[in-house]
Amino acid sequence: MPPRARFRSNYKGIGEMLRSAQMQREMETRAEQVKDKAKSLAPQDSGRYADSFRVETGAREGAKSRAVSKVINYAPNAPYVEWGTSRTPRYRVMGKAAGDE
């Protein structure tokens, strides 16, 4: 009978993998897909909101450090487009693009 396979976790190595440049590139690729989807869902009144998306990629520091990418909209009206107000409907552009809805 062949010897049985064994696995021993190397937590330092797993942490390095989760912060690696390869993982950061993968996270950035996924964030770019979310950004493209958000741009397609964005209201096109002036085009300012749709043109204000960007992706930031890096490694989160702390106890659970890992690669991270964020899709950010820096338009001043972004919270109102996303969540709405008493006078405007909520569009949930980021939520829909990320797959929440």
Side-chain angles (χ1 to χ4, degrees):
M1 181 177 235
R4 201 168 179 179
R6 297 187 70 151
F7 174 79
R8 292 190 184 146
S9 296
N10 179 331
Y11 293 106
K12 183 179 177 186
I14 293 171
E16 289 172 5
M17 177 193 67
L18 291 174
R19 289 183 301 276
S20 70
Q22 233 179 337
M23 188 65 75
Q24 287 183 29
R25 280 191 305 273
E26 178 62 25
M27 298 304 289
E28 185 172 24
T29 299
R30 291 171 185 244
E32 288 290 342
Q33 292 171 350
V34 171
K35 181 182 104 172
D36 293 343
K37 176 81 172 173
K39 283 180 87 168
S40 73
L41 294 172
Q44 300 295 324
D45 297 336
S46 70
R48 183 177 184 187
Y49 177 78
D51 292 337
S52 297
F53 288 100
R54 74 171 185 257
V55 172
E56 292 182 1
T57 303
R60 182 178 71 196
E61 298 300 324
K64 293 186 176 182
S65 179
R66 59 190 83 247
V68 63
S69 279
K70 299 175 187 177
V71 179
I72 299 168
N73 190 303
Y74 55 91
N77 62 332
Y80 309 117
V81 173
E82 186 71 11
W83 300 107
T85 68
S86 60
R87 296 181 185 175
T88 60
R90 69 182 199 150
Y91 285 95
R92 293 282 293 137
V93 172
M94 299 282 277
K96 291 175 184 175
D100 271 357
E101 293 181 16

